[in-house]
Structure formats: structure tokens, C-alpha cells
Amino acid sequence: MRPDDANVAGNVHGGTVLKMIEEAGAIISTRHCNSQNGERCVAALARVERTDFLSPMCIGEVAHVSAEITYTSKHSVEVQVHVMSENILTGTKKLTNKATLWYVPLSLKNVDKVLEVPPVVYSRQEQEEEGRKRYEAQKLERMETKWRNGDIIQPVLNPEPNTVSYSQSSLIHLVGPSDCTLHGFVHGGVTMKLMDEVAGIVAARHCKTNIVTASVDAINFHDKIRKGCVITISGRMTFTSNKSMEIEVLVDADPVVNNFVKRYRAASAFFTYVSLSPEGKSLPVPQLVPETEDEKKRFEEGKGRYLQMKAKRQGQAETQA
Amino acid sequence: MRPDDANVAGNVHGGTVLKMIEEAGAIISTRHCNSQNGERCVAALARVERTDFLSPMCIGEVAHVSAEITYTSKHSVEVQVHVMSENILTGTKKLTNKATLWYVPLSLKNVDKVLEVPPVVYSRQEQEEEGRKRYEAQKLERMETKWRNGDIIQPVLNPEPNTVSYSQSSLIHLVGPSDCTLHGFVHGGVTMKLMDEVAGIVAARHCKTNIVTASVDAINFHDKIRKGCVITISGRMTFTSNKSMEIEVLVDADPVVNNFVKRYRAASAFFTYVSLSPEGKSLPVPQLVPETEDEKKRFEEGKGRYLQMKAKRQGQAETQA
Amino acid sequence: MRPDDANVAGNVHGGTVLKMIEEAGAIISTRHCNSQNGERCVAALARVERTDFLSPMCIGEVAHVSAEITYTSKHSVEVQVHVMSENILTGTKKLTNKATLWYVPLSLKNVDKVLEVPPVVYSRQEQEEEGRKRYEAQKLERMETKWRNGDIIQPVLNPEPNTVSYSQSSLIHLVGPSDCTLHGFVHGGVTMKLMDEVAGIVAARHCKTNIVTASVDAINFHDKIRKGCVITISGRMTFTSNKSMEIEVLVDADPVVNNFVKRYRAASAFFTYVSLSPEGKSLPVPQLVPETEDEKKRFEEGKGRYLQMKAKRQGQAETQA
């Protein structure tokens, strides 16, 4: 990990970790989908399941990323990725991240055509059944969160501190060759890195301290982003608990050199950030002040997600105890 | 020049050229300012004079950047930089750019303290006098263009095509380690590259074709941008002639992790872009429709700059004929 | 491998491969040198043995880099690195590169102090003896090639095609934070990447075709390059055979903000390039015309290296047959 991968305090950006995870996932699933004779294809990221950042990674550490295919449906591949950080001076290794990603194989001849996935071989019989359940669950969730294209983040004049308008931020990015696969669309990992960057700016503007990514909610990729697009990544704070902030990030693609394709929603997700003292201790965050009806509604929804996750964690803790 | 330095049509971004120019200027002026025993310093960019992009540079070409110190005042250094593009397969060399930059030496112990510049030795006596005139002229111009901090670019809902609101764009950028000098402030070249990027997005949104930078008006750096800032770079179209577009770009710095420093205007400039057909011929551009009083005023001012530059070029052409 | 790692024809630059090799070597040797309790240290690259590029790597392929410690002396570590390229669409894997690197552990408290290396455990007894021979051989060679600091590459006015002056090239680079280790000196891999870049420009200028790195002679790192230096990388052609070009590359470091340290020679090596047709076949190269006495001497020395290598390869081929 190099200085450019990290914030001023030396913690590696969550987005850098997400990008590495996606690279590993794209390699293993593209390799698998081409393992039989037939049409050549490239695996495109469709979804990343919710993931927690378990321990921070620092500049100078070595990241170990390992990926495994854990389920295949007719048209999709599930990949599980583990990230370990190793301090090569002390020898300490820590689990940083576990993530589950879904890929879809697209034909190299026509990237709008989805091909069939060769079935993976399971070592235990239950694995197939468990995978199928995860597959059905994510399919359902994807349908529920189909994004309303109309929902855009509007700027506001002279906002008050601690309001949603005060910290909301947008970034535009002109897609360049190194953001893309050879087949002319943007790597999912590049998009996630930009999403984390915007979420981080929103969080820093809100609490004016050093902040780090704590977790990312499921990210759905609704559509490919092609070469030559301008993408707008917008973030707004939706909810604060005592010590965490939830930020919604929307990605819109605008094919500037093509009049026939309209601007469309390409991806969306919720990022959770925490604020850290210079010594690395988690700090209380200023409470968000929702103003409009929509902001209040989103605050309540965010609270719902927060309480649900808290309950789930306590359940896990009790099970383990 | 690599794929990432260029747009989809293979033309190197003006911003990439500006960044190289600034690196050469920073090296030569830092070296000069440290050439005598005394306090160590680093040269910070204060101003870039108006510069034209005389011929496009392409991927695979080699850029030659040469810099020379042409004048020193008590606290500033003038550097002239030439950029040549060389096609190493055919051996063809072309002048791409001539630029004049002004630097100020800042103490390494305290980057808010400006040091004295060792005088340069002139080979001809007139050089000093000519340099002094350029120095006085730019000093005057800098005073005139002191930026109004209040002037910000406000987004508009559902804008009509060809209006100012339709193409205006903002980009936020979290300053990272590789954007900075070793002394914790952003390289002038990095800022100029981002400015050109935003101007390019505004131009592409307006005319929806392949566009290239034709020239950049004097860029004044009003204040240093420090590590840990979020910078907002905003661009709006101010004027269109038959075949060119003028875009105003404003750079504001927001020290997110420091409550005591307010958001401030760091730099500003006008970029001129032209639209190119796939064969590289210059195309007519859609005429800008100014709506508000301010937009009409800025359109007239832009027209003034355009006519003045046109007259100056004709004057030069006649002198040379 | 991404578009920016490759030349216009899609072949990954030798310098990109060298940079990956060095990263792997730096990680494994830093880990090894810190494996016992004692002063913490970082491994700095001292030398890379001659290495051949056995098959080209292309954009879209996955590079597998594996490193192993093969010998330790009191103050140095020998690492052997293998690079494989994998086409994940077809499943084809090819050996791209085998390299041997020597590292020296520098104390984190004082990077001018060399620490002791914990001895490696050999699986076969002969390994230690074989390693010792390699160690002695490289030590001898390093002494012989101590660089004459005075030998610099001088530009020449209006050179003729096919002469040394015609294709010689220099690149200056301002060392930035992302080029450096946490301890303030430049990664060996960064330097090698820049060296290969200059050698490639010299080769392309000479033969005006698509060119690729065929091999790199031993690279000796005479001294660390510290943060804040400007480095000049210069290349000149020394010898041509029918189908190959040898280019000498010199790296000089100039601490611009420190008057007490003089410009010094930091590294040097010979790169061998071949010229490829658009179909990837090796082409004859124009013969180099040495003009001065020094150029003629270097040409003869280059011829000596070329014939020696050819004889060695024939010897190996006969042994294997």
C-alpha cells in the first residue's frame, strides 16, 4: 500500500480495498466462464453484497487478496473474496475484509449478450443448496432496490452546518482508457473507488475530522458504463447514529458524445463511515439535521437499516458465545 | 504520451501539457532559488501567462519540454517554457506550446514566508528591461483580476440545451499525497490539469463532439492549496464564436479537517476550446444562449476578449508579412 | 495489465514487468530481514542480475509474480522471481521472465546503516555453496562497473540519422511522494521503469518501428535516491547487431534543495531491444554509425557482450540437446 492509496492519517481508503477485491473477482470469474470451449466472454460486476471493514489497513502494509467461486447459476457467478493485511516489519496479519460479488459473463462479440456459465463443482452437497438460497435472496433484493432514475441530488444555497445540503457532494469523472476493460466498459472496481471517494468527502465535510469506511451496503450495478461517458457520482448523508454516518451514493452515466442514449442511473449504494481521533479512537459525530420531508423519510429508513444491522450483530455475537 | 493522457480520439489533453510545463518550471525555479547559500526554499506557481495550443499532440509521441529563466524580480522568477512534440517513427517535430510562468520562493521552514530570489545574469542588457516591463504588466493584471469570492456557479433544474446551465459542471477532488509537493501544498500543474478537465467536460456537454483545448487565458493562483483540502473546480461557458467556446473555470479550496480556515478562491482562468470532426477538422459550434443578466454581461465580456485576441493575431500576421 | 502499462501495439513495457518484479522482491526480502527480533529494517535494491524477456505480455493478461529467497550473505539477500503471463480467456500460461535481485537491509532509524540478515534455511546443502558463488561473482562485477561519474551524455546539434547522437535521449523526473518508500527513498522498481522508458525512446528513434525489451543487463544501484531529488535518466545506443540494439542508460540524482550533496550517479545498465513488424515478427535494424573514438570503443565493448551472450546461449542449447 502506497501513500496514494491512503488518507492523510495513513489509513488506506475503503475504495482502494474495494477496487482490489473487484479485480480479484473479475479475474477468477472471467477465467471460470472461459474454462469450456465456446464463445469467449468477459465477466461484468452485477452486485457486491454488504461488506464490513473489520480492521484498517495502513501505508506500507502488504494486502493479500484471495478469491474463490462459491456458486454458479445459469447466468451468474458468485465469488467470495478475503483480504488480509500483513505488516511485513512485525509479521502481524489481520483479516481486513470479506466480500461476496456477483458477476455476469458478457460475450466478447456483443457485450449486450449474456452467455451461460459452466457449472462449478461443489466439494460438499449442501454448498449448492446454500448458494441457491443466497442467489434467490440477492435476486429479490435487486428487484426491490431498482433505482428511480428521477431521484437526483439538488444543490442548495448557503446551507446550515449539520444539514444534508451542507455536506452533499458531487464529482464528475470523464471515463478514460485505464478505467475500462479492453471491451470498452468501466471496471466495477473503478466505480466503487469513486463512490467511496465521494462518500468520504461527504463524511469529512460533515464532521471535519479524520474518517474511515466502516461498511458498505449491497452495491447494485444496474447498467454498464461505456467508454466516453461522463459519470456523475453524488453523495448525501442520510442518517447518523452516535458514532456512525450513513451516506447514500448515486452514480449516473451521461454519454456526452452520443445524443441517442440518455443519462441513466448506473449504480447506487449506502456507505457507513466512522470518525477517528488522531490516536485512532472512534469519536462521536455531530447529529444530522434532516430538513425536508424526503430527508426525514430517508433518515428513518437509515435508522431502520442501522437497527436491523445492530440486532443482526448481537444475534451473531450471542450465537458465537 | 500514453493512452490515459489523451481523449478518445487520441489527442493529448491540454491539461496534461500544462502539467508538464509546470513541472519543468517548478524544477528550474526551485533550483535557481536554492543556488546561493541561504534558507532552503521551494518555488510555488503564482501565475501562467496566456498560452496557445499551436498543434495537437497524439498518443505515442514524445514531448520535449525545455525551460529557461528569463527574468527575476526581488521575490519572483519568470520562466519561459517550450513544448515540442516529436513523432519518433517519422522524426517530425512540431512546436506545441510556448508558455510564461511566474514563481515565488517559499521558505521550507515556513511556507508562508516568501524569500528573496538570487538575480539571474542576462546575456543582453535589454533583457532585464524587457523582463521588468512584463513583470509590471502582469502585476497590474493580477490586481485587476482579484477574484470575487462570492461568485459561485449555481446549478439549475432542467436546463434547456445550449444554455449556460445546461453544460456547467463541477468536480470535487480530495487532495492526495501525489498531488502535492513534499512540503504539503498542491502542485500548480495538478490544479491546471483539473481545470482543463472540467473545461473539457463543459465543452463536450455543450457541443457533443470531440473537443480540444485551443488556448488558456492567464491563470492566477491567488493562494496555495494545502494537503487535506477538498477542492471544487467549476466551469461555465461564457461565450461562443462561430468555431470556438470560452469557458470560465473557478477553483475553490475547502479545508475540511480545519474549522478555522474558510473556503477560499484559489485560482481562476478562461479556457478556449474548439470542436473537431472525426477527421480532425474544426467544426461550427452551437451558439450559446445566455439567459440571465449576469450571463449576458459575461457573454459580452467574452466577446471583447475574443475580438481583442483576433485583432492582436491579425496585427502579428501583418507585421510578419 | 491495463492500457497504460503497454505500448501502442499492446505489448506491456519491459519497465512495467521490472517494476512488478522489484515489488515482489522488496516485500519478500523486507519480510525475511524482519523475521527475527531486532532492529526493524527495510530492504533496498542493490542489484538486478541480467534478465531476458522470454515472451511478450499483452494488455488484458494477468501477471503472476512469485518470489523466493535463494541465498543470504551477512548483509545481503538474493531473491529469485518468476513472472508468468496468463490469458484468462484461453487459459494459456507462459513464462515471461526469470530474474535475480540482491537486497540490502537498511535500518529504519537510520537509513544509512546496513543491518545483518538472518540466515535462510536451505533445503539442499549444495544450495548454500552455489549461492555463495553467485554472491562472489556479482560482488566482483559490481566493483568492476563502479561508475565514472564524469561520463555524461552530451547533446549534439543537427545529428545525422543512425548516429549515436541522433537517437540519444534524456528524461528528467521530479521525485514525488508516490515514487518513494515510507522511509524517503525511491523504490528501485520506479527507477527501472523510467530507465526502460528512456531506452525504449532511444530504440524507437533509431529504428522507427514498434520495439520491445529483449533483455536487461545487470543493473547496479550505486546509491539511494532520496525524496526531493530531480533525477535525469539518459540513454544512448552503444551497439547494433542484425536484429538487436544495445542501449546504455545512466541515472543521475540531483538534490535540488540541498547544496551540500552534489549530483551523483545512482544507477546504470544496458538494455537490449528488438524491432517488431506489425505482425510481431522480429525485423532487421538499421546499423548504428559510431563517430567519435569513445563511441567506437563502446561499440566494440557492446559487440563483446553480444558475442559472449550468444556463445553462452549456444552452450546452453547444446547442453540441453
Side-chain angles (χ1 to χ4, degrees):
Chain A
M1 293 291 124
R2 301 170 175 281
D4 259 25
D5 300 321
N7 64 19
V8 185
N11 297 120
V12 171
H13 294 293
T16 302
V17 177
L18 290 170
K19 191 162 178 265
M20 289 189 303
I21 288 173
E22 203 275 323
E23 277 169 0
I27 289 172
I28 197 174
S29 50
T30 299
R31 190 192 278 152
H32 177 79
C33 295
N34 285 287
S35 61
Q36 293 192 335
N37 289 330
E39 219 175 319
R40 300 292 100 194
C41 63
V42 60
L45 182 64
R47 178 177 160 98
V48 183
E49 298 294 342
R50 187 194 150 79
T51 174
D52 292 313
F53 290 80
L54 306 169
S55 77
M57 205 183 276
C58 296
I59 302 178
E61 291 187 338
V62 174
H64 296 260
V65 185
S66 56
E68 188 193 0
I69 293 181
T70 43
Y71 179 73
T72 49
S73 74
K74 193 176 176 193
H75 290 298
S76 66
V77 181
E78 185 199 52
V79 182
Q80 293 191 2
V81 181
H82 283 69
V83 183
M84 305 279 298
S85 67
E86 178 194 4
N87 182 324
I88 51 173
L89 302 184
T90 63
T92 320
K93 278 192 189 178
K94 275 190 282 186
L95 181 66
T96 302
N97 211 289
K98 278 194 273 185
T100 303
L101 298 89
W102 294 89
Y103 286 87
V104 166
L106 303 180
S107 160
L108 285 195
K109 285 187 202 142
N110 171 9
V111 290
D112 292 322
K113 185 178 157 198
V114 177
L115 298 184
E116 287 195 18
V117 175
V120 76
V121 179
Y122 302 97
S123 55
R124 289 180 301 111
Q125 216 192 322
E126 314 85 87
Q127 288 177 323
E128 182 164 11
E129 190 44 38
E130 289 161 14
R132 196 193 322 277
K133 277 184 200 156
R134 291 193 301 273
Y135 172 73
E136 297 298 341
Q138 64 92 20
K139 208 172 157 184
L140 201 71
E141 227 186 282
R142 290 194 66 166
M143 308 256 266
E144 277 173 10
T145 54
K146 261 279 172 206
W147 279 87
R148 303 135 292 187
N149 263 302
D151 187 11
I152 54 168
I153 294 179
Q154 292 293 345
V156 166
L157 215 57
N158 302 322
E160 292 291 312
N162 301 334
T163 61
V164 175
S165 320
Y166 183 79
S167 59
Q168 68 182 22
S169 304
S170 285
L171 186 156
I172 51 172
H173 177 76
L174 181 59
V175 171
S178 66
D179 300 326
C180 289
T181 66
L182 278 180
H183 317 294
F185 56 88
V186 175
H187 287 285
V190 170
T191 309
M192 291 197 286
K193 192 161 182 273
L194 289 167
M195 292 171 86
D196 179 68
E197 206 171 309
V198 168
I201 290 172
V202 172
R205 278 187 168 156
H206 181 78
C207 66
K208 296 181 185 304
T209 53
N210 178 31
I211 45 84
V212 291
T213 318
S215 67
V216 186
D217 223 61
I219 308 181
N220 291 308
F221 291 84
H222 311 297
D223 207 341
K224 280 186 297 297
I225 303 171
R226 286 166 189 275
K227 208 159 69 178
C229 276
V230 168
I231 50 181
T232 306
I233 305 105
S234 312
R236 65 178 157 211
M237 197 160 287
T238 44
F239 168 74
T240 48
S241 73
N242 282 343
K243 292 203 170 178
S244 73
M245 300 162 271
E246 190 197 59
I247 298 122
E248 182 180 31
V249 181
L250 308 173
V251 180
D252 294 298
D254 189 358
V256 276
V257 292
N258 185 341
N259 264 318
F260 304 104
V261 181
K262 287 214 170 159
R263 183 178 166 129
Y264 58 93
R265 177 70 31 95
S268 53
F270 293 98
F271 285 71
T272 300
Y273 269 75
V274 292
S275 164
L276 295 182
S277 74
E279 295 76 36
K281 289 214 170 160
S282 131
L283 294 176
V285 300
Q287 286 310 290
L288 182 68
V289 181
E291 295 176 307
T292 69
E293 282 314 305
D294 279 349
E295 289 172 9
K296 285 172 190 165
K297 186 164 156 275
R298 282 194 294 265
F299 191 92
E300 288 308 314
E301 289 167 0
K303 196 176 191 169
R305 282 184 292 268
Y306 171 76
L307 293 174
Q308 207 182 336
M309 195 46 57
K310 209 174 161 181
K312 205 171 154 186
R313 273 203 201 129
Q314 282 176 339
Q316 286 175 342
E318 280 162 22
T319 314
Q320 286 167 8
Chain B
M1 291 292 124
R2 302 168 176 279
D4 258 26
D5 299 324
N7 63 19
V8 185
N11 297 121
V12 171
H13 295 293
T16 304
V17 177
L18 291 170
K19 190 162 177 262
M20 290 189 302
I21 289 173
E22 202 274 325
E23 277 171 13
I27 290 172
I28 197 173
S29 50
T30 299
R31 192 188 277 152
H32 177 79
C33 294
N34 285 287
S35 61
Q36 294 193 334
N37 291 328
E39 217 175 320
R40 301 294 100 195
C41 62
V42 59
L45 182 64
R47 179 177 159 98
V48 183
E49 298 294 343
R50 187 196 148 79
T51 174
D52 291 313
F53 289 79
L54 306 169
S55 75
M57 204 182 276
C58 297
I59 301 177
E61 291 188 336
V62 173
H64 296 260
V65 185
S66 56
E68 188 191 3
I69 293 181
T70 44
Y71 179 74
T72 49
S73 74
K74 193 176 176 192
H75 290 296
S76 66
V77 180
E78 186 199 53
V79 181
Q80 292 192 2
V81 180
H82 283 70
V83 184
M84 306 278 297
S85 66
E86 178 193 4
N87 181 324
I88 49 176
L89 302 184
T90 64
T92 320
K93 279 188 188 180
K94 276 190 282 186
L95 182 65
T96 301
N97 214 289
K98 277 194 274 187
T100 303
L101 298 89
W102 294 89
Y103 286 87
V104 166
L106 304 180
S107 161
L108 285 195
K109 286 187 203 143
N110 169 7
V111 289
D112 292 321
K113 184 177 158 199
V114 177
L115 299 183
E116 287 196 18
V117 175
V120 75
V121 179
Y122 302 96
S123 55
R124 289 178 303 109
Q125 217 192 322
E126 314 86 84
Q127 288 176 323
E128 181 163 13
E129 190 45 36
E130 289 162 13
R132 195 193 326 274
K133 278 184 198 155
R134 290 193 300 273
Y135 171 73
E136 297 296 343
Q138 63 90 22
K139 207 172 156 185
L140 202 70
E141 228 186 282
R142 292 194 66 166
M143 310 255 265
E144 279 172 9
T145 55
K146 264 279 175 207
W147 280 87
R148 305 136 292 187
N149 263 301
D151 187 9
I152 55 167
I153 294 180
Q154 293 293 343
V156 167
L157 217 55
N158 303 322
E160 291 292 311
N162 302 333
T163 61
V164 175
S165 319
Y166 183 79
S167 58
Q168 69 183 20
S169 303
S170 284
L171 186 157
I172 49 170
H173 178 77
L174 180 59
V175 170
S178 67
D179 300 327
C180 290
T181 65
L182 285 176
H183 318 292
F185 56 87
V186 175
H187 285 287
V190 169
T191 309
M192 292 197 285
K193 192 162 183 270
L194 290 167
M195 292 172 85
D196 178 69
E197 206 172 309
V198 168
I201 290 171
V202 172
R205 279 188 167 155
H206 182 77
C207 64
K208 294 179 186 303
T209 54
N210 178 30
I211 45 85
V212 291
T213 317
S215 67
V216 186
D217 224 60
I219 308 181
N220 291 307
F221 290 83
H222 311 298
D223 207 340
K224 280 185 299 296
I225 303 171
R226 285 166 192 275
K227 208 159 69 178
C229 276
V230 168
I231 51 181
T232 305
I233 305 106
S234 312
R236 66 178 158 212
M237 196 160 289
T238 44
F239 168 73
T240 48
S241 73
N242 281 343
K243 293 203 170 179
S244 73
M245 298 162 272
E246 190 197 57
I247 297 121
E248 182 180 29
V249 181
L250 309 174
V251 181
D252 293 299
D254 189 359
V256 276
V257 291
N258 185 339
N259 265 318
F260 305 105
V261 181
K262 286 214 170 158
R263 184 179 165 128
Y264 58 91
R265 176 70 30 96
S268 53
F270 292 97
F271 285 71
T272 301
Y273 269 74
V274 293
S275 164
L276 295 182
S277 73
E279 296 76 37
K281 287 215 168 157
S282 130
L283 294 175
V285 299
Q287 286 310 290
L288 182 69
V289 181
E291 295 178 306
T292 68
E293 281 315 303
D294 279 349
E295 289 172 10
K296 285 173 190 163
K297 187 164 156 276
R298 282 195 294 265
F299 191 93
E300 287 309 314
E301 289 166 359
K303 196 175 191 169
R305 283 185 293 269
Y306 170 76
L307 293 173
Q308 209 183 339
M309 196 46 58
K310 207 173 160 182
K312 204 172 155 187
R313 274 204 199 126
Q314 282 176 339
Q316 286 174 342
E318 280 162 20
T319 315
Q320 286 167 7
Chain C
M1 292 291 124
R2 300 169 177 280
D4 258 26
D5 299 322
N7 64 18
V8 185
N11 297 120
V12 171
H13 294 292
T16 304
V17 177
L18 290 171
K19 192 162 177 263
M20 289 188 305
I21 288 173
E22 203 275 323
E23 277 169 0
I27 289 172
I28 196 173
S29 50
T30 300
R31 189 192 279 151
H32 176 79
C33 294
N34 286 286
S35 61
Q36 295 192 335
N37 290 329
E39 217 176 320
R40 298 294 102 192
C41 63
V42 59
L45 182 64
R47 178 177 160 98
V48 183
E49 297 295 342
R50 189 196 149 79
T51 173
D52 292 312
F53 290 79
L54 306 169
S55 77
M57 204 183 276
C58 296
I59 302 177
E61 291 187 337
V62 174
H64 296 259
V65 185
S66 55
E68 188 192 1
I69 293 182
T70 43
Y71 179 75
T72 50
S73 74
K74 193 176 177 193
H75 291 297
S76 66
V77 181
E78 186 200 53
V79 182
Q80 293 192 1
V81 181
H82 283 69
V83 184
M84 306 279 297
S85 67
E86 179 194 4
N87 181 324
I88 52 173
L89 302 184
T90 64
T92 320
K93 279 191 189 180
K94 274 189 283 185
L95 181 66
T96 301
N97 213 288
K98 277 194 273 187
T100 303
L101 299 89
W102 294 89
Y103 286 87
V104 166
L106 304 180
S107 159
L108 285 195
K109 285 186 203 144
N110 169 9
V111 289
D112 292 322
K113 184 178 157 199
V114 176
L115 299 184
E116 286 195 19
V117 175
V120 74
V121 180
Y122 302 97
S123 55
R124 289 179 302 110
Q125 215 192 324
E126 315 85 86
Q127 288 176 324
E128 181 162 12
E129 191 44 38
E130 289 161 13
R132 195 192 326 274
K133 278 183 198 156
R134 291 192 301 272
Y135 171 73
E136 297 297 341
Q138 64 91 22
K139 206 171 158 185
L140 201 71
E141 227 187 282
R142 292 194 65 168
M143 309 255 266
E144 278 173 9
T145 54
K146 263 279 173 204
W147 279 89
R148 303 136 293 186
N149 264 300
D151 186 11
I152 55 166
I153 294 179
Q154 294 291 349
V156 166
L157 222 52
N158 302 321
E160 292 292 311
N162 302 334
T163 61
V164 175
S165 319
Y166 184 79
S167 58
Q168 68 182 23
S169 303
S170 286
L171 186 158
I172 51 171
H173 178 76
L174 180 58
V175 170
S178 65
D179 300 326
C180 291
T181 65
L182 280 179
H183 318 292
F185 55 89
V186 175
H187 287 286
V190 170
T191 309
M192 291 197 286
K193 191 161 183 272
L194 289 167
M195 291 172 87
D196 178 69
E197 207 171 307
V198 168
I201 290 173
V202 173
R205 275 187 171 153
H206 181 78
C207 65
K208 299 180 184 306
T209 53
N210 179 31
I211 44 84
V212 290
T213 317
S215 66
V216 186
D217 223 61
I219 309 181
N220 290 307
F221 290 84
H222 311 296
D223 207 340
K224 281 186 298 296
I225 303 171
R226 287 166 189 275
K227 208 156 70 174
C229 276
V230 168
I231 50 182
T232 306
I233 305 106
S234 312
R236 67 178 157 211
M237 195 159 291
T238 44
F239 168 73
T240 47
S241 72
N242 282 344
K243 293 202 169 178
S244 73
M245 299 162 272
E246 190 197 57
I247 298 122
E248 183 180 29
V249 181
L250 308 173
V251 181
D252 294 299
D254 188 359
V256 276
V257 292
N258 186 340
N259 264 318
F260 305 105
V261 181
K262 285 214 171 159
R263 182 180 167 127
Y264 58 91
R265 177 70 31 94
S268 53
F270 293 97
F271 285 71
T272 300
Y273 269 75
V274 293
S275 164
L276 294 182
S277 73
E279 296 76 35
K281 289 216 168 157
S282 131
L283 293 176
V285 300
Q287 286 310 290
L288 182 68
V289 181
E291 295 177 305
T292 69
E293 281 314 303
D294 279 349
E295 289 172 9
K296 285 172 190 164
K297 187 163 156 275
R298 281 194 294 264
F299 191 93
E300 288 309 314
E301 289 167 359
K303 196 175 189 169
R305 282 183 293 268
Y306 170 75
L307 292 173
Q308 209 182 337
M309 196 47 58
K310 209 174 158 180
K312 205 172 155 186
R313 272 199 202 132
Q314 283 176 338
Q316 286 174 342
E318 280 162 22
T319 314
Q320 286 167 7

